[in-house]
Amino acid sequence: MTTGLPARAALIALDWGTSSLRAYRLDAAGRTLDTRHLPWGIMRLPQPLQDGAATATLSGFELAFEQACGDWLRAEPALPVIACGMVGSAQGWREAAYLDVPLDLARIGTQLTVVERGGATPVHIVPGLIQRQGLPNVMRGEETQVFGVLFEPARAHDNMLIGLPGTHSKWVGAQRGRVTHFHTFMTGEIYAALRGHTILGRTMADSAGADMAAFERGLQVAGSPAGRAGVLSSVFSTRALGLTGQLAPTSQADYLSGLLIGHEVAALAQLLRQQGELPRIVLCGEPALCGRYIQALQHYGLGTPEVAQDATERGLWHLAVSAGLIDSCATAHS
């Protein structure tokens, strides 16, 4: 018999990046009860009113926080709050230190940075990860998705590679809860820059739908003898194929996408084969983009990866349990 009462929450989790803020209200088992998506990334925050109202004294971070979850906290004041992403950067609400890789992920929960809010509910910010061997590499926000993948019991494995496609694609090597290394490819940002700010975009036209045949053609070129000259050489073929009538204006953006993702995955395949045994691959990200990476991984002989769902909110919940923000006994019996 149902009581008619709303489900009780155990945690408020925030995924707070450069351009947007996602807020989740989670129960004691990590299930999502409510979610909100706001345009308040750290580089674009709401502005305080100038009319003498009480909110005029609040910072942009406080105002965004209030819009994201203020009413949830008024309804349940004891809820803990955890946040990941660029909110912990030098430009964020409070800078959270990077932790060095290799790293046991369980350590992350013991290293949260606390934003004290003058007696109001504090915010616990997840640290990023830094790799100092060779060329330095960093991530902030993706570590939480990795946590969400690795701490699902069904995914415990001796040799895993977690792919996080996006503006800056990350490929994270992990072994049973330990991050061993990671690579970053600026594929998404380079695609946007080439399309929007170079001569390649001048001959492109919008399409009603994705041209996956053109995308596949880009994958093939990236792995061909012509592609071995490097991405800086092969990207110009986007324009040249259009000028010679071999690639329609509406197909050029998808061809460029395939070319760039193809170069990324071809490089990744080479790195993996140098290591010997191929890892189990799991992708986390926007479904359509993951679909492109699945096609690329198959094209380059890396098999069909699993796609993890809700990795960010699952990671935030697992981190909150690890940090003691949620009663682990309560979660075990929920």
Side-chain angles (χ1 to χ4, degrees), residues 255-306:
Y255 171 81
L256 178 61
S257 172
L259 198 60
L260 294 175
I261 291 175
H263 276 289
E264 175 184 341
V265 175
L268 182 70
Q270 184 177 11
L271 288 169
L272 292 177
R273 291 188 174 113
Q274 289 172 353
Q275 297 169 12
E277 177 190 1
L278 291 180
R280 176 184 178 184
I281 300 177
V282 179
L283 292 180
C284 308
E286 191 272 324
L289 184 56
C290 282
R292 291 179 181 243
Y293 275 82
I294 290 170
Q295 188 172 334
L297 290 164
Q298 292 171 335
H299 180 88
Y300 284 95
L302 297 178
T304 301
E306 178 187 350

Side-chain angles (χ1 to χ4, degrees), residues 126-327:
V126 179
L129 301 185
I130 185 167
Q131 181 173 272
R132 301 183 193 273
Q133 313 94 294
L135 289 175
N137 210 341
V138 296
M139 69 169 73
R140 196 178 286 282
E142 295 93 349
E143 76 293 318
T144 300
Q145 293 176 290
V146 172
F147 206 103
V149 171
L150 291 183
F151 280 76
E152 291 298 311
R155 296 201 185 101
H157 197 270
D158 282 335
N159 187 17
M160 291 186 66
L161 182 69
I162 301 168
L164 305 156
T167 303
H168 298 162
S169 295
K170 304 287 185 182
W171 294 92
V172 184
Q175 296 179 346
R176 293 197 175 276
R178 182 173 177 82
V179 170
T180 57
H181 63 281
F182 61 95
H183 303 285
T184 300
F185 293 83
M186 289 181 59
T187 307
E189 186 166 2
I190 295 299
Y191 170 81
L194 289 174
R195 184 174 181 182
H197 301 286
T198 75
I199 198 168
L200 298 185
R202 299 294 181 88
T203 56
M204 292 182 184
D206 292 334
S207 173
D211 185 342
M212 297 311 290
F215 177 79
E216 177 67 26
R217 186 176 183 179
L219 292 179
Q220 292 171 355
V221 169
S224 71
R228 293 189 194 113
V231 66
L232 293 179
S233 171
S234 59
V235 290
F236 191 72
S237 64
T238 308
R239 177 172 173 80
L241 286 168
L243 293 176
T244 56
Q246 299 178 64
L247 190 64
T250 53
S251 300
Q252 291 174 24
D254 285 311
Y255 171 81
L256 178 61
S257 172
L259 198 60
L260 294 175
I261 291 175
H263 276 289
E264 175 184 341
V265 175
L268 182 70
Q270 184 177 11
L271 288 169
L272 292 177
R273 291 188 174 113
Q274 289 172 353
Q275 297 169 12
E277 177 190 1
L278 291 180
R280 176 184 178 184
I281 300 177
V282 179
L283 292 180
C284 308
E286 191 272 324
L289 184 56
C290 282
R292 291 179 181 243
Y293 275 82
I294 290 170
Q295 188 172 334
L297 290 164
Q298 292 171 335
H299 180 88
Y300 284 95
L302 297 178
T304 301
E306 178 187 350
V307 178
Q309 304 295 326
D310 306 324
T312 300
E313 50 264 54
R314 295 299 296 164
L316 285 165
W317 182 77
H318 281 300
L319 278 166
V321 173
S322 175
L325 300 179
I326 302 175
D327 184 350

Side-chain angles (χ1 to χ4, degrees), residues 24 72 156 244 332:
Y24 304 95
W72 292 345
T244 56

